[in-house]
Every structure is written in C-alpha cells, then in structure tokens.
Amino acid sequence: MSLKSALFEMKEVLTNQKNDKFLEEDFISELEKKYGLSENTLVFYYNNLMFLSMKSSSDHLSEAKKVNRKWTKNEIDFMFQYIKERQEESVNNITELLKEVALLLNRGYQSVNYKYYSLVKEKEEQQKENHNGYHFTTLTEKEVPVISTEVLPESHSVFSNQTTQPSSSMNLLDILSGLITNVEQIPGIQLNELLGSLYQLTNMALQNRDAAQQLKKMKAENQREKEALKEQLKQKEQQLLLEKKRNDELQQEIVKLAKEISAFNQLGDAAKIQNLKSYNQRLNYLIDGSGVVLKVGTDKATGS
C-alpha cells in the first residue's frame, strides 16, 4: 500500500499548498523515504498530479464535466503505470485499482473503467492480428539483378537453342553450366547478383515454409489443450453428479435410521432389552476407504 498512500498524500499537499517556496525535490525525496519507495519513483506521478491540480484550479467547468472530460495521453500513461506498479506490490484487485485511479485523476469510476477495458481490448485485438498474420519477405527494386533491359542481337541465338528443347537426361550440373554460359552472353545481367538473389529467394521460401509449419503446430497444440480441458471439465461434472447421488442416498438412509430409532424409543424397557441385541446386529455401516459413509441403515425394518 506504500505507493497508494504516497500518491494520495502527494495529491492532498498539491491541492492545498499555497507556498510559492515549495521545494518539490525535497518533498518527493521525503515521501519516497517515508513510504519505502525507490529513488525517483514519484517524479512521474508528481509531474502529472501537479499538471492536473493546475488545470483543475483554472478550469471553471461543472463537477460532472470535470470527471468525464476528454482523456489525455498523460492520464492514460498515469493509469497504466500506476496499475502496473500497484500490481507489483501484490494488489491484483483491478476494481480497487481503477477506483484509486479515478480518485487520483478526479474522474468518475465508470469513465476510468470504460477507458481501461477499451484500451486493453484494443491492444489484445492488435496482438491477435499480428499473431495470426502471415509475413512474407520480398526483394526491393534495388536488389533485382537486372541492371538494364536491351534488345538481344541475333548472335545470341544460343540461348534459345539450348533452352527451347532441353534434353530429358540433363542433370543439375548441366543446367547450371548452361545457365552460366547463357548469362555471360546477355548484357546487363550480373551472374553473381542473379545467383545471390536466387539464393535469397530459396531462403525466404524455406523460412515461410517453416513459419507455416510452426503455425500449424501451434494450432494443433491449442486444439489438444482445448480437448484436454473439455475432458477435465467432463470428468469434474461426472464426479459432481456422483457426489450428489451419494449425498442423496445418505440423506435417505439417515431418515430411515431416524425412524427406526424413534420406533425403538417407543418400546417398553423389556422390549428394548429384548430387541437391542438383534437391532445392533442389523445396524450396518458401509464405509469406503477414505472414510466417507456410503450407507447407514438396517437390513430389515424394525416393524414399526
């Protein structure tokens, strides 16, 4: 509760102080020492609360308009910073934290609550879009290996002759050899840049394939986790129904036992002594391994 107490004391001092010689550095340092906070922890909050107190003193709007005024970036930063540091102090009740923010910022609780959850939802949607999106890497225009385009003279007919009807027995080495020979005869194409670009393209293709496989794997894992949670929920529901059934049976046996005891108490002393031994023999306690009473009753009725 140290940060909360420090800020509310700070706000009270800023609201009420009229001394022009007010030393803010000494004031902040004393507050941090008083509440066991790290050095410069309160500087951010002090600047925002000081600005807020100055704005409030010069603002002649009604109280309703003050608490529902337009949000500023500083106020939003203040809210999230305060909630983060209060949660680090093991305060996790978000409703309580939003009420504290509303008091510190002179705002209505509903305004703070709506702003906080709308921003959190917007952030989650952005993260979801970034997570589900596919990212492809492409070559920039400067990285394209063709430096210029020219009309090829007829003397370079070797290119068309060798590529129009490739041999079915041509292996990879023959293809690369022919490619190098042909490219050397084409002006404006740098072989090193061409092969480098092809290498980059193959790497990109492999990366995209790995990313797609990873995404597929993550979806499969999420589906397995979802099915496991469904199965656990189903087992819990079955266990709950079983416990309810056992409790209902126990209640019925208790009612039976109460009736038998009542009937036994109505007998005379001689009859009680005569029937006590047989009654005790018929009384049956069925208890499972964990000590839970499964059935309490008798094999036969007392005849009452």
Side-chain angles (χ1 to χ4, degrees), residues 11-274:
K11 181 183 178 184
E12 182 179 0
V13 172
L14 291 176
T15 303
N16 299 326
Q17 68 94 9
K18 304 296 182 181
N19 187 1
D20 295 335
K21 298 181 180 180
F22 181 74
L23 298 178
E24 59 183 46
E25 293 183 0
D26 294 341
F27 171 63
I28 293 173
S29 179
E30 290 175 1
L31 270 183
E32 290 172 344
K33 292 178 181 179
K34 180 179 179 181
Y35 293 101
L37 299 173
S38 301
E39 186 177 357
N40 296 326
T41 299
L42 298 178
V43 175
F44 168 79
Y45 299 105
Y46 176 85
N47 293 334
N48 282 276
L49 290 177
M50 172 64 78
F51 177 77
L52 183 62
S53 62
M54 293 173 59
K55 188 175 185 300
S56 299
S57 62
S58 62
D59 196 348
H60 301 289
L61 298 176
S62 64
E63 187 65 24
K65 291 184 178 180
K66 284 182 182 180
V67 298
N68 294 291
R69 64 189 180 276
K70 183 178 179 180
W71 280 82
T72 65
K73 182 180 183 301
N74 289 338
E75 289 178 310
I76 294 174
D77 293 341
F78 183 100
M79 174 174 64
F80 281 99
Q81 180 72 13
Y82 179 78
I83 291 175
K84 174 180 174 293
E85 294 190 0
R86 289 283 283 133
Q87 288 176 337
E88 290 176 354
E89 294 181 341
S90 300
V91 181
N92 296 317
N93 188 331
I94 189 63
T95 301
E96 177 183 346
L97 296 179
L98 292 177
K99 288 181 180 178
E100 294 172 9
V101 171
L103 293 173
L104 290 170
L105 296 180
N106 293 333
R107 285 189 170 276
Y109 169 73
Q110 294 298 333
S111 174
V112 175
N113 183 75
Y114 173 79
K115 191 65 177 178
Y116 173 78
Y117 283 106
S118 62
L119 290 174
V120 170
K121 183 178 179 181
E122 180 180 346
K123 183 177 180 181
E124 290 177 349
E125 289 177 351
Q126 291 177 352
Q127 291 177 345
K128 184 177 179 181
E129 290 176 359
N130 293 336
H131 178 72
N132 293 335
Y134 291 94
H135 301 280
F136 297 95
T137 305
T138 58
L139 290 174
T140 62
E141 184 176 354
K142 295 180 179 180
E143 295 174 328
V144 176
V146 179
I147 299 177
S148 63
T149 57
E150 300 178 2
V151 178
L152 298 180
E154 295 181 358
S155 59
H156 298 297
S157 58
V158 178
F159 180 80
S160 58
N161 291 336
Q162 293 184 357
T163 56
T164 52
Q165 295 180 350
S167 172
S168 58
S169 61
M170 185 179 298
N171 56 27
L172 179 60
L173 185 59
D174 294 331
I175 294 175
L176 291 176
S177 177
L179 176 63
I180 293 172
T181 301
N182 293 333
V183 168
E184 288 177 347
Q185 301 179 54
I186 301 176
I189 296 182
Q190 299 295 328
L191 180 61
N192 291 340
E193 293 181 4
L194 175 60
L195 295 178
S197 298
L198 290 175
Y199 178 74
Q200 291 181 20
L201 288 173
T202 56
N203 278 339
M204 293 175 196
L206 291 173
Q207 291 173 4
N208 289 334
R209 185 195 65 181
D210 293 340
Q213 291 176 348
Q214 186 67 20
L215 180 60
K216 184 177 180 181
K217 182 179 178 181
M218 291 173 60
K219 288 182 177 180
E221 290 177 354
N222 290 336
Q223 183 64 27
R224 286 196 296 270
E225 292 177 357
K226 184 178 179 180
E227 294 296 333
L229 290 175
K230 284 184 178 180
E231 184 63 25
Q232 291 179 5
L233 179 60
K234 182 178 179 181
Q235 292 176 358
K236 292 292 184 183
E237 290 175 347
Q238 292 176 349
Q239 184 179 359
L240 181 62
L241 291 175
L242 179 60
E243 291 294 332
K244 184 177 183 301
K245 180 180 178 182
R246 291 170 61 181
N247 288 337
D248 291 340
E249 293 174 353
L250 177 60
Q251 290 295 329
Q252 293 175 2
E253 294 300 326
I254 290 175
V255 171
K256 286 182 185 180
L257 180 59
K259 289 181 179 179
E260 293 176 0
I261 292 173
S262 176
F264 180 80
N265 289 334
Q266 293 176 3
L267 297 175
D269 292 339
K272 286 181 180 179
I273 295 173
Q274 181 179 358

